[in-house]
Amino acid sequence: MKNIQIIDGAVNATFSLFQATAEEFEAIFPDGRDIELIEDLIDRLGEDAAGAVLAPLWDRPILKRDALGIHGTLFYDNEDRRAHIPPSKREVDWDSGSVNHAQRDLFAKHR
């Protein structure tokens, strides 16, 4: 299972984690991505297929303290962040001005 953190506009700011199967994860984050906007997922898969992929996740929450890593981030209600997300939708491709020196070094090793 892979863990997906949901970043949404809710005022409770829980940013909960849910577990996805390998197949579900690949449908949400294709081509090595680890970042996705819900609008793009729906555009890519269609509303019904996106809903079918996501529906099982909501029954698989996991506590942050029990998670062995966060494998992907799915943004809801964050269209305003689009300009800041790397076009590749991969964490290692953040603009170097958006991360600190240690992150730049780490990300460079994983591109």
Side-chain angles (χ1 to χ4, degrees), residues 2 5 20 25 27 33 35 39 45 48-50 53-54 67 72-73 78 89 97:
K2 296 203 174 205
Q5 186 165 35
F25 189 87
R33 297 178 191 172
I35 301 168
E39 297 86 359
L45 299 182
D48 290 342
V53 168
L54 293 172
T73 304
N78 280 276
K89 295 185 180 174

PDB file of all heavy atoms in Angstrom, residues 2 5 20 25 27 33 35 39 45 48-50 53-54 67 72-73 78 89 97:
ATOM      1  N   LYS A   2       0.374   2.285  -0.629  1.00  0.00           N
ATOM      2  CA  LYS A   2       1.072   3.567  -0.661  1.00  0.00           C
ATOM      3  C   LYS A   2       0.191   4.602   0.022  1.00  0.00           C
ATOM      4  O   LYS A   2      -1.035   4.558  -0.088  1.00  0.00           O
ATOM      5  CB  LYS A   2       1.379   3.972  -2.094  1.00  0.00           C
ATOM      6  CG  LYS A   2       2.339   3.005  -2.757  1.00  0.00           C
ATOM      7  CD  LYS A   2       3.040   3.667  -3.889  1.00  0.00           C
ATOM      8  CE  LYS A   2       4.098   2.716  -4.416  1.00  0.00           C
ATOM      9  NZ  LYS A   2       5.164   3.414  -5.069  1.00  0.00           N
ATOM     10  N   GLN A   5      -1.344  11.798   0.973  1.00  0.00           N
ATOM     11  CA  GLN A   5      -1.808  12.888   1.832  1.00  0.00           C
ATOM     12  C   GLN A   5      -2.738  13.777   1.022  1.00  0.00           C
ATOM     13  O   GLN A   5      -2.442  14.136  -0.124  1.00  0.00           O
ATOM     14  CB  GLN A   5      -0.645  13.712   2.363  1.00  0.00           C
ATOM     15  CG  GLN A   5      -1.092  14.757   3.366  1.00  0.00           C
ATOM     16  CD  GLN A   5       0.051  15.345   4.163  1.00  0.00           C
ATOM     17  OE1 GLN A   5       1.140  15.521   3.656  1.00  0.00           O
ATOM     18  NE2 GLN A   5      -0.221  15.671   5.404  1.00  0.00           N
ATOM     19  N   ALA A  20      -3.537   3.591  -0.620  1.00  0.00           N
ATOM     20  CA  ALA A  20      -3.948   3.196  -1.965  1.00  0.00           C
ATOM     21  C   ALA A  20      -3.198   1.941  -2.369  1.00  0.00           C
ATOM     22  O   ALA A  20      -2.029   1.758  -1.997  1.00  0.00           O
ATOM     23  CB  ALA A  20      -3.629   4.315  -2.954  1.00  0.00           C
ATOM     24  N   PHE A  25      -2.772   3.899  -6.896  1.00  0.00           N
ATOM     25  CA  PHE A  25      -1.739   4.925  -6.851  1.00  0.00           C
ATOM     26  C   PHE A  25      -1.277   5.279  -8.265  1.00  0.00           C
ATOM     27  O   PHE A  25      -1.148   6.453  -8.606  1.00  0.00           O
ATOM     28  CB  PHE A  25      -0.555   4.462  -5.995  1.00  0.00           C
ATOM     29  CG  PHE A  25       0.442   5.547  -5.735  1.00  0.00           C
ATOM     30  CD1 PHE A  25       0.283   6.398  -4.658  1.00  0.00           C
ATOM     31  CD2 PHE A  25       1.534   5.733  -6.574  1.00  0.00           C
ATOM     32  CE1 PHE A  25       1.204   7.426  -4.417  1.00  0.00           C
ATOM     33  CE2 PHE A  25       2.450   6.742  -6.343  1.00  0.00           C
ATOM     34  CZ  PHE A  25       2.279   7.591  -5.266  1.00  0.00           C
ATOM     35  N   ALA A  27      -2.909   5.006 -11.016  1.00  0.00           N
ATOM     36  CA  ALA A  27      -3.970   5.733 -11.719  1.00  0.00           C
ATOM     37  C   ALA A  27      -3.997   7.203 -11.314  1.00  0.00           C
ATOM     38  O   ALA A  27      -4.221   8.085 -12.150  1.00  0.00           O
ATOM     39  CB  ALA A  27      -5.329   5.084 -11.435  1.00  0.00           C
ATOM     40  N   ARG A  33       4.877  10.480 -11.096  1.00  0.00           N
ATOM     41  CA  ARG A  33       4.437  11.665 -10.359  1.00  0.00           C
ATOM     42  C   ARG A  33       4.219  11.313  -8.890  1.00  0.00           C
ATOM     43  O   ARG A  33       3.939  10.182  -8.539  1.00  0.00           O
ATOM     44  CB  ARG A  33       3.106  12.183 -10.903  1.00  0.00           C
ATOM     45  CG  ARG A  33       3.134  12.643 -12.325  1.00  0.00           C
ATOM     46  CD  ARG A  33       1.751  13.068 -12.741  1.00  0.00           C
ATOM     47  NE  ARG A  33       1.678  13.267 -14.171  1.00  0.00           N
ATOM     48  CZ  ARG A  33       0.554  13.482 -14.817  1.00  0.00           C
ATOM     49  NH1 ARG A  33      -0.592  13.520 -14.174  1.00  0.00           N
ATOM     50  NH2 ARG A  33       0.573  13.665 -16.123  1.00  0.00           N
ATOM     51  N   ILE A  35       2.635  14.195  -7.114  1.00  0.00           N
ATOM     52  CA  ILE A  35       1.786  15.349  -6.843  1.00  0.00           C
ATOM     53  C   ILE A  35       0.669  15.338  -7.890  1.00  0.00           C
ATOM     54  O   ILE A  35       0.941  15.108  -9.071  1.00  0.00           O
ATOM     55  CB  ILE A  35       2.574  16.677  -6.964  1.00  0.00           C
ATOM     56  CG1 ILE A  35       3.754  16.703  -5.993  1.00  0.00           C
ATOM     57  CG2 ILE A  35       1.656  17.877  -6.764  1.00  0.00           C
ATOM     58  CD1 ILE A  35       4.730  17.841  -6.256  1.00  0.00           C
ATOM     59  N   GLU A  39      -8.520  18.394 -10.000  1.00  0.00           N
ATOM     60  CA  GLU A  39      -9.070  18.836 -11.277  1.00  0.00           C
ATOM     61  C   GLU A  39      -8.373  18.137 -12.447  1.00  0.00           C
ATOM     62  O   GLU A  39      -9.016  17.767 -13.432  1.00  0.00           O
ATOM     63  CB  GLU A  39      -8.927  20.365 -11.428  1.00  0.00           C
ATOM     64  CG  GLU A  39      -9.704  21.167 -10.407  1.00  0.00           C
ATOM     65  CD  GLU A  39      -8.956  21.397  -9.088  1.00  0.00           C
ATOM     66  OE1 GLU A  39      -7.807  20.918  -8.934  1.00  0.00           O
ATOM     67  OE2 GLU A  39      -9.542  22.039  -8.207  1.00  0.00           O
ATOM     68  N   LEU A  45      -8.969  11.251 -16.209  1.00  0.00           N
ATOM     69  CA  LEU A  45      -9.704   9.982 -16.123  1.00  0.00           C
ATOM     70  C   LEU A  45     -11.196  10.102 -16.414  1.00  0.00           C
ATOM     71  O   LEU A  45     -11.835   9.104 -16.730  1.00  0.00           O
ATOM     72  CB  LEU A  45      -9.540   9.374 -14.725  1.00  0.00           C
ATOM     73  CG  LEU A  45      -8.140   9.009 -14.264  1.00  0.00           C
ATOM     74  CD1 LEU A  45      -8.195   8.391 -12.880  1.00  0.00           C
ATOM     75  CD2 LEU A  45      -7.459   8.082 -15.246  1.00  0.00           C
ATOM     76  N   ASP A  48     -16.379   9.904 -13.503  1.00  0.00           N
ATOM     77  CA  ASP A  48     -16.790   8.593 -12.987  1.00  0.00           C
ATOM     78  C   ASP A  48     -15.589   7.710 -12.657  1.00  0.00           C
ATOM     79  O   ASP A  48     -15.539   7.090 -11.596  1.00  0.00           O
ATOM     80  CB  ASP A  48     -17.707   7.882 -13.981  1.00  0.00           C
ATOM     81  CG  ASP A  48     -19.074   8.541 -14.094  1.00  0.00           C
ATOM     82  OD1 ASP A  48     -19.449   9.317 -13.176  1.00  0.00           O
ATOM     83  OD2 ASP A  48     -19.759   8.283 -15.097  1.00  0.00           O
ATOM     84  N   ALA A  49     -14.624   7.655 -13.549  1.00  0.00           N
ATOM     85  CA  ALA A  49     -13.445   6.808 -13.323  1.00  0.00           C
ATOM     86  C   ALA A  49     -12.612   7.340 -12.152  1.00  0.00           C
ATOM     87  O   ALA A  49     -12.118   6.559 -11.339  1.00  0.00           O
ATOM     88  CB  ALA A  49     -12.596   6.720 -14.585  1.00  0.00           C
ATOM     89  N   ALA A  50     -12.463   8.649 -12.065  1.00  0.00           N
ATOM     90  CA  ALA A  50     -11.726   9.228 -10.940  1.00  0.00           C
ATOM     91  C   ALA A  50     -12.422   8.896  -9.631  1.00  0.00           C
ATOM     92  O   ALA A  50     -11.779   8.513  -8.647  1.00  0.00           O
ATOM     93  CB  ALA A  50     -11.577  10.739 -11.109  1.00  0.00           C
ATOM     94  N   VAL A  53     -11.769   5.286  -8.686  1.00  0.00           N
ATOM     95  CA  VAL A  53     -10.403   5.071  -8.177  1.00  0.00           C
ATOM     96  C   VAL A  53     -10.287   5.577  -6.743  1.00  0.00           C
ATOM     97  O   VAL A  53      -9.660   4.945  -5.895  1.00  0.00           O
ATOM     98  CB  VAL A  53      -9.360   5.758  -9.084  1.00  0.00           C
ATOM     99  CG1 VAL A  53      -7.994   5.806  -8.421  1.00  0.00           C
ATOM    100  CG2 VAL A  53      -9.269   5.054 -10.427  1.00  0.00           C
ATOM    101  N   LEU A  54     -10.895   6.724  -6.460  1.00  0.00           N
ATOM    102  CA  LEU A  54     -10.751   7.344  -5.142  1.00  0.00           C
ATOM    103  C   LEU A  54     -11.655   6.736  -4.073  1.00  0.00           C
ATOM    104  O   LEU A  54     -11.282   6.728  -2.892  1.00  0.00           O
ATOM    105  CB  LEU A  54     -11.027   8.844  -5.240  1.00  0.00           C
ATOM    106  CG  LEU A  54     -10.015   9.651  -6.051  1.00  0.00           C
ATOM    107  CD1 LEU A  54     -10.503  11.074  -6.247  1.00  0.00           C
ATOM    108  CD2 LEU A  54      -8.649   9.623  -5.395  1.00  0.00           C
ATOM    109  N   ALA A  67       2.104   5.729   9.571  1.00  0.00           N
ATOM    110  CA  ALA A  67       2.463   5.689   8.148  1.00  0.00           C
ATOM    111  C   ALA A  67       3.973   5.552   7.984  1.00  0.00           C
ATOM    112  O   ALA A  67       4.741   6.201   8.686  1.00  0.00           O
ATOM    113  CB  ALA A  67       1.982   6.945   7.454  1.00  0.00           C
ATOM    114  N   GLY A  72       2.528  10.222  -2.035  1.00  0.00           N
ATOM    115  CA  GLY A  72       1.928  11.153  -2.969  1.00  0.00           C
ATOM    116  C   GLY A  72       1.079  12.181  -2.243  1.00  0.00           C
ATOM    117  O   GLY A  72       0.640  11.950  -1.124  1.00  0.00           O
ATOM    118  N   THR A  73       0.878  13.324  -2.897  1.00  0.00           N
ATOM    119  CA  THR A  73       0.049  14.394  -2.354  1.00  0.00           C
ATOM    120  C   THR A  73      -1.024  14.730  -3.381  1.00  0.00           C
ATOM    121  O   THR A  73      -0.708  15.021  -4.534  1.00  0.00           O
ATOM    122  CB  THR A  73       0.895  15.649  -2.064  1.00  0.00           C
ATOM    123  OG1 THR A  73       1.965  15.296  -1.186  1.00  0.00           O
ATOM    124  CG2 THR A  73       0.056  16.744  -1.429  1.00  0.00           C
ATOM    125  N   ASN A  78      -7.270  23.674  -4.429  1.00  0.00           N
ATOM    126  CA  ASN A  78      -5.990  24.383  -4.369  1.00  0.00           C
ATOM    127  C   ASN A  78      -5.545  24.843  -5.746  1.00  0.00           C
ATOM    128  O   ASN A  78      -4.358  24.854  -6.046  1.00  0.00           O
ATOM    129  CB  ASN A  78      -4.918  23.484  -3.741  1.00  0.00           C
ATOM    130  CG  ASN A  78      -5.004  23.448  -2.245  1.00  0.00           C
ATOM    131  OD1 ASN A  78      -4.472  24.322  -1.570  1.00  0.00           O
ATOM    132  ND2 ASN A  78      -5.691  22.459  -1.711  1.00  0.00           N
ATOM    133  N   LYS A  89       5.036  17.430 -11.915  1.00  0.00           N
ATOM    134  CA  LYS A  89       4.288  16.952 -10.748  1.00  0.00           C
ATOM    135  C   LYS A  89       5.102  15.922  -9.955  1.00  0.00           C
ATOM    136  O   LYS A  89       4.573  14.961  -9.432  1.00  0.00           O
ATOM    137  CB  LYS A  89       2.922  16.419 -11.143  1.00  0.00           C
ATOM    138  CG  LYS A  89       2.014  17.514 -11.700  1.00  0.00           C
ATOM    139  CD  LYS A  89       0.641  16.997 -11.961  1.00  0.00           C
ATOM    140  CE  LYS A  89      -0.245  18.097 -12.504  1.00  0.00           C
ATOM    141  NZ  LYS A  89      -1.545  17.583 -12.893  1.00  0.00           N
ATOM    142  N   GLY A  97      14.352  27.798  -5.897  1.00  0.00           N
ATOM    143  CA  GLY A  97      14.060  28.910  -4.998  1.00  0.00           C
ATOM    144  C   GLY A  97      12.973  28.602  -3.986  1.00  0.00           C
ATOM    145  O   GLY A  97      12.750  29.371  -3.058  1.00  0.00           O
TER     146      GLY A  97
END
